[in-house]
Amino acid sequence: MYSLVRHCGQSGSARSLALFLILFLSLAGPSQAQPIRDTLKVGYVDVPPLAYQAENGRAEGVFIDLTRRVAEEAGYDLDFRFLPVSRAYFYLRTGGIDIWPGVTDVPALEDEVLESYVSPLPFQLSAWGMKDAPPVQHFNDLKNKTLILIAGYTYGGLAERLERTPGIRVTEAPNHQAAVAMLNRGRGDYLLDYQDPVKAVLEEFPVQGIREYPVRTRNAAWIFSLANPRSSDLREEFDDAYLRLAERGEVPRPRTLSKGFLLPGLADLP
């Protein structure tokens, strides 16, 4: 082989050398190159421990892990982007992201997205109060009270409706830990927040006497942007991939979808 390469160089025939190398590589064995896989842009928001950005910048959380496993089974790579809730909604409408591991029935996304038929997790919104606060059994129990909300959260359109409701005062916390601390210090009568993030905070920073009252139960799902022309195919591929994983016992069985719990009086909001 050396003599042939030398001969090609001496003759000045670069073309002959190139042809030789191509022939040699083709005879060396089958190509080990892996097929190129499509990469999907995934937006996620801060809802620990379901989804959050770790200190190293990597997307982490229970829902994120499920998303990675389903995407791998479906044959896709993922590019995660940590976003505020409002920006995630905007990118879903405009095609800035392909998927959001989020929740169903978001008014701001109506006619803009497709929701997976599979729901791997429940998503519960609760009112949290200290032991001396009256229980929340009806929406009217929140009137003439100060509610602590997480800044940037829309609560599926509920935040705006609460702000328009006479007698309800709204104050905001920058994150879940700060919100729990505000409640504990009496800076609000109730905290309106999702169950999983608050429980994660309470495990690390216990607060004595805090009480939880369900407000609304929703379904976690993969939300696909209709701005992607393959959104319908993606939904089918993700649903099928999840069902295959569930059949093998690698993910929880799909949940039976229902309308879930709704605090009495909540549906009467304008």
Side-chain angles (χ1 to χ4, degrees), residues 36 123-124 134 194 261:
I36 298 176
F123 218 63
Q124 180 168 309
Y194 294 101
F261 175 80

Side-chain angles (χ1 to χ4, degrees), residues 150-171:
I150 308 298
Y153 273 37
T154 67
Y155 299 89
L158 180 58
E160 183 179 357
R161 297 163 70 189
L162 289 172
E163 291 173 350
R164 297 199 310 262
T165 302
I168 289 183
R169 298 175 297 277
V170 170
T171 185

Side-chain angles (χ1 to χ4, degrees), residues 139-162:
F139 177 73
N140 288 337
D141 296 330
L142 298 177
K143 292 184 177 180
N144 301 314
K145 300 292 191 298
T146 297
L147 303 184
I148 303 169
L149 307 183
I150 308 298
Y153 273 37
T154 67
Y155 299 89
L158 180 58
E160 183 179 357
R161 297 163 70 189
L162 289 172

Side-chain angles (χ1 to χ4, degrees), residues 156-193:
L158 180 58
E160 183 179 357
R161 297 163 70 189
L162 289 172
E163 291 173 350
R164 297 199 310 262
T165 302
I168 289 183
R169 298 175 297 277
V170 170
T171 185
E172 292 187 336
N175 54 54
H176 307 281
Q177 182 178 336
V180 171
M182 287 174 64
L183 178 68
N184 191 32
R185 293 169 185 162
R187 295 181 59 185
D189 297 294
Y190 298 100
L191 163 62
L192 195 66
D193 200 357

Side-chain angles (χ1 to χ4, degrees), residues 10-190:
Q10 289 175 344
S11 66
S13 177
R15 183 177 181 181
S16 298
L17 177 59
L19 290 173
F20 165 74
L21 290 174
I22 292 172
L23 177 62
F24 176 78
L25 291 173
S26 67
L27 295 175
S31 173
Q32 300 300 313
Q34 297 296 319
I36 298 176
R37 307 201 308 180
D38 289 339
T39 298
L40 301 175
K41 300 183 293 293
V42 182
Y44 70 104
V45 302
D46 186 46
V47 193
L50 299 179
Y52 62 95
Q53 187 178 53
E55 292 183 0
N56 60 5
R58 177 179 165 87
E60 298 288 359
V62 176
F63 206 174
I64 297 298
D65 290 342
L66 280 174
T67 301
R68 286 195 175 102
R69 297 183 71 178
V70 173
E72 177 67 25
E73 177 71 18
Y76 290 98
D77 292 327
L78 301 178
D79 175 18
F80 285 96
R81 304 180 182 189
F82 185 58
L83 301 169
V85 176
S86 58
R87 184 65 59 85
Y89 291 174
F90 175 75
Y91 281 176
L92 282 168
R93 291 192 293 265
T94 60
I97 58 176
D98 302 304
I99 307 173
W100 170 47
V103 292
T104 59
D105 301 320
V106 177
L109 298 177
E110 188 175 1
D111 299 325
E112 304 283 355
V113 297
L114 294 177
E115 302 169 350
S116 64
Y117 294 113
V118 166
S119 173
L121 302 163
F123 218 63
Q124 180 168 309
L125 178 67
S126 298
W128 304 80
M130 302 308 295
K131 62 181 180 180
D132 55 347
V136 178
Q137 300 173 335
H138 190 280
F139 177 73
N140 288 337
D141 296 330
L142 298 177
K143 292 184 177 180
N144 301 314
K145 300 292 191 298
T146 297
L147 303 184
I148 303 169
L149 307 183
I150 308 298
Y153 273 37
T154 67
Y155 299 89
L158 180 58
E160 183 179 357
R161 297 163 70 189
L162 289 172
E163 291 173 350
R164 297 199 310 262
T165 302
I168 289 183
R169 298 175 297 277
V170 170
T171 185
E172 292 187 336
N175 54 54
H176 307 281
Q177 182 178 336
V180 171
M182 287 174 64
L183 178 68
N184 191 32
R185 293 169 185 162
R187 295 181 59 185
D189 297 294
Y190 298 100

